Amino acid sequence: MSSIKNIKDFAKMKQAGQPITMVTCYDYAFARIVSETDIDTILVGDSLGNVVAGYDTTIPVTLDQMIYHSSMVKRGAPGSFIVTDLPFMSYHVSIEDTMRNCGRIMKETGTNAVKLEGGKDFVPVVEALVKASIPVMGHLGLTPQSVHKLGGYSVQGKDEEQRKTILEDALLLQEAGAFAIVLEMVPEPLAKEITQRLAIPTIGIGAGRYCDGQVLVIHDLLGLNKGFNPKFLKRYADLYTISQQAIQTYHKEVKEHTFPAEENVFK
Ligand code: KIV
């Protein structure tokens, strides 16, 4: 059973020194599996653009797709605390547009919170959402929606200027009312410093050992995303191979007339 029921539990877990576990989920079947583990919270990440839809970036992901996938996850994990990623350009145009988009997410999916990428520039957006009672998770460091500006998927915060910006952004997001912040691909010492300076928890992916929690993309941790081997990733299973072997065995048995067998037949 997950330990997180609401945003207050994030802060409580940080205070108690209990690591927060988060995985992404994009559909009913995986949400059911996750909801029957002790994982604390689920992220419907726009990484679905990569691992489900097969795009090179998360940029093509739409608001309607995030709503569709989040509602599937909610049906599979009705008791879990679910965070839905705001897709590219759904919170950039204006506060009014953002509120309309987030209103749709909250009403149509039953999700508990939204996550957005960026720091200082998005403080007014975070403030407006929090004011409207929509909990916000921040996301700093490598922010995949900015891949074209960043020039690739590399570690962020390595030089002093970037380091200071990420730290300041984290403090600003906290002040604006974010209840937690994802830190993606930043050096461990920077993630440690941010984690120590914030009252709200940090959830790391490629951000080292000292964050208050960790998040992984479920396809990556289960070994479904063949060929994706970043240093930060640990594969806990090889479902790509297991699935392929099962499908191949089914194919072989049909060809050999051993499936369907006696026990699979209605009489
Ligand atoms: O979209 C996503 O899955 C994410 C995680 C990598 C944190 O933002």
Side-chain angles (χ1 to χ4, degrees):
M1 257 316 250
S2 92
S3 348
I4 292 187
K5 292 287 163 238
N6 57 55
I7 53 168
K8 289 185 186 157
D9 293 331
F10 282 84
K12 279 189 201 153
M13 285 184 76
K14 175 169 180 132
Q15 281 152 19
Q18 289 170 14
I20 298 167
T21 57
M22 181 180 227
V23 290
T24 65
C25 240
Y26 314 105
D27 65 20
Y28 173 81
F30 277 104
R32 270 195 75 181
I33 294 170
V34 173
S35 72
E36 289 168 19
T37 70
D38 292 329
I39 282 289
D40 293 315
T41 176
I42 292 175
L43 171 67
V44 186
D46 63 351
S47 51
L48 67 86
N50 304 107
V51 299
V52 177
Y55 297 126
D56 288 340
T57 72
T58 55
I59 289 170
V61 176
T62 66
L63 179 68
D64 284 335
Q65 287 165 352
M66 291 311 299
I67 290 173
Y68 180 55
H69 285 277
S70 297
S71 62
M72 292 183 218
V73 171
K74 180 70 183 179
R75 286 192 291 277
S80 299
F81 189 94
I82 300 170
V83 182
T84 293
D85 251 342
L86 297 184
F88 182 60
M89 277 297 145
S90 68
Y91 54 101
H92 305 68
V93 177
S94 67
I95 299 273
E96 198 184 319
D97 187 53
T98 306
M99 300 306 279
R100 203 173 297 115
N101 293 337
C102 291
R104 278 197 62 201
I105 291 178
M106 300 303 287
K107 283 169 183 275
E108 295 176 37
T109 69
T111 201
N112 302 87
V114 298
K115 173 165 85 58
L116 59 80
E117 298 181 6
K120 191 176 174 188
D121 295 341
F122 294 92
V123 162
V125 175
V126 175
E127 284 172 346
L129 289 169
V130 171
K131 204 168 158 198
S133 305
I134 300 177
V136 181
M137 180 176 274
H139 184 154
L140 296 171
L142 173 64
T143 45
Q145 292 172 11
S146 306
V147 60
H148 298 311
K149 181 174 130 192
L150 298 174
Y153 296 103
S154 52
V155 177
Q156 302 296 306
K158 278 164 86 170
D159 65 50
E160 186 50 24
E161 199 186 322
Q162 274 188 0
R163 196 194 74 81
K164 267 180 67 185
T165 306
I166 296 173
L167 175 59
E168 277 166 20
D169 280 346
L171 292 165
L172 287 171
L173 287 176
Q174 169 172 269
E175 210 176 297
F179 70 90
I181 299 178
V182 166
L183 295 176
E184 179 165 356
M185 299 263 284
V186 298
E188 188 176 65
L190 173 57
K192 186 178 183 184
E193 187 181 356
I194 295 171
T195 303
Q196 285 169 346
R197 296 275 299 273
L198 294 183
I200 58 171
T202 57
I203 301 186
I205 175 163
R209 293 162 288 183
Y210 302 105
C211 291
D212 298 302
Q214 298 290 329
V215 55
L216 281 178
V217 167
I218 198 160
H219 287 56
D220 299 343
L221 91 86
L222 293 178
L224 278 165
N225 198 5
K226 205 177 169 190
F228 182 65
N229 298 306
K231 185 177 180 188
F232 68 78
L233 175 63
K234 178 169 175 185
R235 285 214 170 87
Y236 288 85
D238 181 5
L239 288 200
Y240 193 97
T241 306
I242 291 172
S243 308
Q244 209 165 46
Q245 281 168 352
I247 294 162
Q248 190 58 31
T249 304
Y250 156 69
H251 168 81
K252 187 166 161 283
E253 290 190 0
V254 173
K255 293 287 184 189
E256 289 171 350
H257 301 280
T258 52
F259 176 81
E262 180 85 34
E263 66 268 25
N264 309 116
V265 175
F266 298 111
K267 287 191 174 153

